[in-house]
Amino acid sequence: MAKKKAKTIWLAAFIFALLIIVTAIIVILAKGYRFTTYSDGSRFIGSVQSGQPISGKIKYSNGMTALIDYNKKTIEYSNGDVYVGEINIIYRTGKGTLTYGSTKDVYVGEFSNNQINGAGKYTYSDGSVFEGNFKDGIKSGFGKFVSSAGETYEGTYVNDLLNGYGEYVSADGSYTYFGNFVNDVQNGEGKCTYSNGDTYEGQFLNNQRHGKGVYTYAKGDSYNGNYIRDVRDTRVLDDNGNYALDDDGNYVHGEMATYTHADGRIYTGYFENGVIKVVSK
């Protein structure tokens, strides 16, 4: 008899607890709370209206967590980043501002697929600024970068670096370059001007005059010939970047260069390390 009574009490308690759980679930659902998993593996738990999460916690597929407040247009991430702007479901989409918690860098511009995509302005904590186009958070397309020191790089960016035609102006304006870049470095054909009025037009390698080019001095003189590592030099380099030697141990020269004086005098011949070199041959 006692066992039967105990069993009845346990069953009643179980039913009562079950009713409480069901009631709680009904109340939670009635208030719009949901637990949702999205196609990319991200999950959300919190208040939802018409399919749009309003407030609650997000766990993205990469492990990052965040708190969303749709009415305030904010997403606060566990790493300290804060986004304020347009939101679609749980993703940054449209125009917004992202402030990075670790670096204090700030991006203002367009987003899609939860990434920085489109036109925008990225301000670094040191004061440097890039304004232009982005793809998946990477500088891509036309843009302009101004360093904290005042240097300016403007042109086409690929994989976060200036590649192709671009323009560079030094912080004090004493040096300008218009020409080809490879990974932020002056490489290929280009033209530069100096603060004293001199100009150079020709080939560059790793930010130096290297290869054929024409240097025109403000006083009227000009040099038309080869450069090696920023210096007038008609010698030939071997595959290792060293000066080639002939069988007698003498330097091998390539094409002759021409130096034209402002008064019309012309020298045609060879140069070594910026100095006229008379070759016995």
Side-chain angles (χ1 to χ4, degrees):
M1 187 71 177
K3 289 183 179 181
K4 186 176 180 181
K5 185 176 181 181
K7 186 176 181 181
T8 301
I9 294 173
W10 180 88
L11 182 60
F14 175 77
I15 293 173
F16 181 71
L18 186 61
L19 288 173
I20 292 176
I21 293 172
V22 172
T23 301
I25 291 174
I26 293 173
V27 171
I28 289 172
L29 293 175
K31 289 186 175 182
Y33 288 94
R34 297 288 188 275
F35 179 85
T36 307
T37 300
Y38 299 95
S39 59
D40 66 351
S42 298
R43 292 175 289 176
F44 169 79
I45 183 170
S47 176
V48 177
Q49 290 182 9
S50 302
Q52 172 62 55
I54 301 301
S55 64
K57 186 175 183 179
I58 305 166
K59 185 172 183 180
Y60 293 101
S61 54
N62 61 4
M64 178 80 71
T65 61
L67 297 176
I68 183 174
D69 190 325
Y70 182 77
N71 292 327
K72 293 182 178 180
K73 296 186 176 181
T74 61
I75 302 177
E76 298 180 4
Y77 300 89
S78 55
N79 64 353
D81 296 353
V82 177
Y83 172 78
V84 180
E86 297 178 67
I87 300 170
N88 181 33
I89 311 299
I90 58 172
Y91 307 105
R92 301 179 301 236
T93 302
K95 295 182 178 180
T97 299
L98 179 62
T99 303
Y100 293 86
S102 59
T103 63
K104 307 307 178 186
D105 295 350
V106 178
Y107 169 80
V108 179
E110 298 176 344
F111 292 80
S112 66
N113 300 322
N114 212 42
Q115 294 281 350
I116 293 174
N117 276 302
K121 181 178 180 180
Y122 192 106
T123 303
Y124 298 83
S125 58
D126 68 353
S128 300
V129 176
F130 174 82
E131 192 164 2
N133 291 293
F134 294 82
K135 183 177 180 181
D136 294 334
I138 301 296
K139 294 190 284 289
S140 181
F142 185 81
K144 181 178 181 180
F145 176 83
V146 181
S147 74
S148 57
E151 299 171 295
T152 301
Y153 297 83
E154 187 171 1
T156 302
Y157 285 77
V158 178
N159 294 327
D160 225 26
L161 299 172
L162 189 58
N163 281 279
Y165 179 82
E167 302 177 5
Y168 168 81
V169 181
S170 63
D172 59 3
S174 63
Y175 176 81
T176 63
Y177 171 84
F178 305 87
N180 196 67
F181 283 83
V182 177
N183 296 334
D184 273 353
V185 178
Q186 297 166 22
N187 271 302
E189 296 289 332
K191 181 179 180 179
C192 64
T193 60
Y194 303 89
S195 58
N196 62 359
D198 293 356
T199 64
Y200 170 80
E201 187 169 2
Q203 296 175 321
F204 288 79
L205 179 66
N206 298 330
N207 288 338
Q208 294 182 318
R209 299 183 298 267
H210 192 89
K212 295 182 179 180
V214 177
Y215 192 104
T216 304
Y217 296 84
K219 65 180 182 179
D221 292 5
S222 66
Y223 169 84
N224 185 343
N226 195 63
Y227 277 82
I228 295 177
R229 292 183 280 271
D230 232 20
V231 178
R232 294 175 303 189
D233 205 313
T234 56
R235 286 176 288 183
V236 175
L237 298 178
D238 61 23
D239 293 338
N240 296 317
N242 300 315
Y243 296 112
L245 300 173
D246 61 19
D247 294 338
D248 297 325
N250 299 312
Y251 290 118
V252 177
H253 285 260
E255 294 182 13
M256 290 184 179
T258 300
Y259 190 99
T260 303
H261 296 268
D263 60 9
R265 290 179 295 119
I266 298 175
Y267 165 78
T268 300
Y270 299 111
F271 285 77
E272 289 183 8
N273 200 28
V275 179
I276 291 175
K277 178 67 176 179
V278 176
V279 180
S280 59
K281 292 183 180 180

